[in-house]
Amino acid sequence: MKKDTSFLDTAPRGLWFAKKEYDGKRPASYEEALPHLPAPVLAAHPLWESCYQYAVKVLYRNTHTPAQGSGYVSNFVDAAFNKDIFLWDTCFMTMFCNLFHPYIPGICSLDNFYCKQFDDGEIPREMVRDTGKDFLPWVNAYHAPLYSFFHNHYGFRGLASVGDLPYEALYKPNLGRTVEPPPYLTLDNLNHPILGMAEWESYLQTGDVDRLALVFEPLWHYYQAFRKHLRHASGLYVTDWASMDNSTRNQYLGMGVDISCEMVMLAHNLQDIMAELEKAGRPVADAETRRAALEREAAETTEAIQRWMWDEETGFFYDVRDDMTRAPVKTAAAFWALISGVATPAQQQRLYGWLNDPATFCRVHRVPVLAADEPGYDPRGGYWRGSVWAPINTMVVLGLERCGNHALAREIARNDLSVLAQVFEQTGTIWENYPPDLISSADSDHPDMVGWSGIAPILFLMEYAVGLRVEGPDHRLCWELEPEYLAAGPVGCDRYWFCGQTADFRAQRCDGGIQITIRTEGQFPLLLRCGKAEKQIQVNGDTELVWEI
């Protein structure tokens, strides 16, 4: 069977994405943007402030304009991994870039994936940064049913050493059904359908309804592509090595608990986006039919996950092998059941137990991708055999917040931030991943990873240390003040931005309570929190008060 990728030259791309050309407006440089960017103030942790400042500076080094002839349509932030751009890396990067809108190309970085979407909805997860071309090993050059190029041949970052593999040697997931025509891409290139999550998190911070209108149709067809090409007859979804490169889980795949939960989450994201567009007087076509399909399909997938992946005896979600038995490996993929809404309240409690268990996921640095009591666990990280990764911790923290466990979300986020800052102090840089049992860079070999590792020093610092956070689709701004941090000095942020508003926030202890000072030309409600105390105020321009608690 011969390879042929010539179809890439004529395949229709970007049919549902309205932006077709780059507007030529370069992004601001670090020096130009710096006077406009948020500046956190946290007297209790000057090292955290320094780590934040370093992360922002590195981020601007990884900002690009589309190369001529690439077909990319927007400026973008880069994953900082190699010469390619990566979909799931970029999705997580947008979450801290939202704080810098519009002074860095954050959410618009995803435009360069939407504009490369195939006519059946597929979007490649990896493309060449300077040319806009597809990464050819991940293209279905055999025009054959779904397969993974690399799964049977994975070596730690060993792709360059893999030659031209024959079709017979490639991993072919068993879908339990026939799919025609086959996909444009391989299974390696179709993983983590989290674009909807990124767009929704951006909307919470920006309130940009125009953006939702721009991306709804591409997201809808992206969802349909996964339904067509990756759905198993059981209602679960297949995956391969690309979800967790060298994880011990890969010997059993199978169907993945992460991708199955992510498909439920994407269905919910689409429903939420439709609701916001309708509230704005911009309903989508065939809204009722689509909504009904999403509700039905999310319920079906949830039922399949509950039936096949939940183990009541151990209280955990597992991957499933081709014979429909559960794979005997505990990985952090199970926690996608929190953010997706798959886990019932009782199951949530049992998952919290695992997150707090020192023998499994509650290590020196939380949360390792592989439980510490599993064979193959590497206390030095071992890439996906134990490392702590920004996307996993972000998913866990967002999932805990969705389930109402703010205290545990805050604890994990602050642990992540604290460890990254200590390793930054040791090494002078930010790494791709971190060991779970050491406060060091251990065997991580990729420095200056901002990149998704900017999550902790930027987003977690702002939301769980400074305490400023936008909650819910009504864009309610909350400011949670930590008494321990206030005892050491001022807490706040200059030039904090959300939903078109900019304000300077400062809080400090005073006789009788906490002195709150806000400098802004805007008007917005603000919920203050400190310990168990709450106070709702209305900000109307510059505002000062003493909160007596």
Side-chain angles (χ1 to χ4, degrees):
M1 189 179 292
K2 292 185 178 180
K3 286 186 174 182
D4 180 10
T5 60
S6 62
F7 69 90
L8 294 172
D9 298 329
T10 58
R13 310 288 286 260
L15 299 180
W16 299 285
F17 192 61
K19 188 173 183 180
K20 303 298 185 185
E21 296 181 354
Y22 175 52
D23 61 15
K25 297 178 182 177
R26 69 171 182 84
S29 68
Y30 172 72
E31 291 74 18
E32 291 168 336
L34 187 59
H36 306 283
L37 299 181
V41 175
L42 193 64
H45 288 285
L47 177 60
W48 294 4
E49 289 187 48
S50 297
C51 192
Y52 168 90
Q53 292 158 3
Y54 178 81
V56 174
K57 192 170 186 177
V58 173
L59 173 65
Y60 271 85
R61 295 209 302 262
N62 296 323
T63 301
H64 299 271
T65 58
Q68 188 173 4
S70 66
Y72 295 146
V73 297
S74 291
N75 300 319
F76 59 96
V77 290
D78 179 38
F81 181 74
N82 60 18
K83 297 291 186 180
D84 293 349
I85 62 173
F86 294 84
L87 180 58
W88 92 300
D89 300 60
T90 305
C91 284
F92 283 101
M93 290 183 70
T94 67
M95 295 184 190
F96 59 81
C97 289
N98 292 329
L99 297 173
F100 305 143
H101 187 84
Y103 294 103
I104 198 164
I107 196 66
C108 67
S109 302
L110 297 178
D111 297 353
N112 297 324
F113 294 91
Y114 295 127
C115 74
K116 300 291 186 175
Q117 185 173 27
F118 288 94
D119 60 354
D120 68 347
E122 293 175 73
I123 297 178
R125 78 171 179 98
E126 181 177 359
M127 294 179 292
V128 181
R129 185 180 68 204
D130 294 334
T131 66
K133 301 294 186 182
D134 292 276
F135 183 65
L136 290 181
W138 299 166
V139 174
N140 185 353
Y142 289 113
H143 307 281
L146 183 68
Y147 65 87
S148 170
F149 174 81
F150 204 31
H151 182 68
N152 286 345
H153 306 273
Y154 184 81
F156 177 67
R157 290 191 178 169
L159 179 59
S161 64
V162 175
D164 192 17
L165 299 170
Y167 180 72
E168 292 72 24
L170 303 177
Y171 171 69
K172 305 165 190 69
N174 174 19
L175 292 174
R177 61 189 183 91
T178 301
V179 178
E180 291 291 346
Y184 290 103
L185 305 173
T186 68
L187 183 56
D188 319 76
N189 216 2
L190 293 169
N191 70 322
H192 293 302
I194 59 171
L195 275 165
M197 178 181 72
E199 295 291 353
W200 184 249
E201 290 298 316
S202 176
Y203 173 68
L204 297 182
Q205 187 74 28
T206 68
D208 188 352
V209 176
D210 288 341
R211 176 76 193 179
L212 296 185
L214 179 68
V215 301
F216 178 81
E217 288 298 333
L219 288 174
W220 170 262
H221 291 280
Y222 180 59
Y223 172 81
Q224 298 303 326
F226 275 81
R227 289 274 303 171
K228 176 179 179 180
H229 293 300
L230 272 67
R231 181 171 50 86
H232 185 266
S234 66
L236 301 173
Y237 285 78
V238 298
T239 191
D240 69 350
W241 72 278
S243 283
M244 294 182 182
D245 297 24
N246 64 331
S247 174
T248 57
R249 74 187 287 213
N250 294 347
Q251 62 189 302
Y252 300 107
L253 299 177
M255 284 138 278
V257 63
D258 43 7
I259 188 173
S260 299
C261 288
E262 287 160 4
M263 282 300 290
V264 176
M265 181 179 66
L266 179 53
H268 293 324
N269 293 147
L270 287 166
Q271 290 173 286
D272 290 339
I273 291 171
M274 290 174 68
E276 292 304 299
L277 289 171
E278 288 176 355
K279 283 197 291 186
R282 304 172 69 171
V284 302
D286 301 319
E288 291 305 317
T289 300
R290 290 180 173 189
R291 183 179 293 108
L294 291 167
E295 290 177 355
R296 180 182 67 254
E297 291 160 5
E300 290 171 352
T301 306
T302 298
E303 182 180 359
I305 295 169
Q306 291 287 357
R307 176 182 179 185
W308 298 108
M309 294 181 157
W310 174 254
D311 182 74
E312 181 62 27
E313 182 177 350
T314 59
F316 205 72
F317 288 96
Y318 297 87
D319 297 323
V320 169
R321 294 176 279 205
D322 283 341
D323 65 1
M324 302 309 295
T325 59
R326 298 184 193 102
V329 182
K330 295 188 299 296
T331 75
F335 301 119
W336 283 99
L338 297 175
I339 190 172
S340 61
V342 166
T344 66
Q347 290 168 341
Q348 292 169 16
Q349 294 298 321
R350 299 190 74 178
L351 292 176
Y352 303 160
W354 288 108
L355 287 169
N356 283 318
D357 179 8
T360 55
F361 293 102
C362 184
R363 308 299 287 180
V364 172
H365 190 180
R366 307 164 73 164
V367 175
V369 72
L370 180 67
D373 62 350
E374 289 289 346
Y377 173 81
D378 188 340
R380 292 181 57 82
Y383 216 49
W384 289 89
R385 289 177 177 254
S387 292
V388 178
W389 291 83
I392 297 300
N393 275 3
T394 306
M395 170 271 291
V396 169
V397 167
L398 289 174
L400 290 168
E401 292 287 3
R402 186 194 187 284
C403 295
N405 195 339
H406 173 68
L408 184 53
R410 180 180 58 198
E411 186 178 336
I412 290 172
R414 287 181 180 174
N415 169 265
D416 196 22
L417 169 59
S418 176
V419 172
L420 258 71
Q422 291 176 73
V423 178
F424 167 70
E425 187 175 34
Q426 294 172 12
T427 65
T429 191
I430 294 169
W431 298 87
E432 179 188 15
N433 52 73
Y434 291 80
D437 293 350
L438 304 165
I439 299 180
S440 79
S441 60
D443 59 12
S444 182
D445 62 353
H446 208 107
D448 282 354
M449 191 65 179
V450 189
W452 56 22
S453 291
I455 285 280
I458 298 174
L459 186 66
F460 288 173
L461 172 71
M462 192 66 70
E463 296 193 345
Y464 295 101
V466 172
L468 287 165
R469 177 183 178 86
V470 180
E471 296 183 344
D474 60 350
H475 313 292
R476 181 179 67 169
L477 182 63
C478 300
W479 190 9
E480 182 177 26
L481 297 165
E482 173 61 54
E484 178 186 344
Y485 299 165
L486 285 168
V491 176
C493 183
D494 293 333
R495 299 182 297 277
Y496 180 80
W497 182 92
F498 74 105
C499 296
Q501 306 269 15
T502 302
D504 299 338
F505 294 85
R506 198 73 84 249
Q508 57 188 29
R509 283 288 182 188
C510 67
D511 291 340
I514 303 172
Q515 175 70 45
I516 304 292
T517 304
I518 301 168
R519 299 283 180 245
T520 183
E521 296 179 354
Q523 298 182 9
F524 51 87
L526 174 64
L527 178 63
L528 296 170
R529 292 181 178 139
C530 187
K532 295 182 179 181
E534 290 190 357
K535 183 180 181 66
Q536 181 75 47
I537 68 171
Q538 179 65 35
V539 175
N540 293 304
D542 291 350
T543 300
E544 294 189 16
L545 72 147
V546 174
W547 185 15
E548 298 179 356
I549 60 171

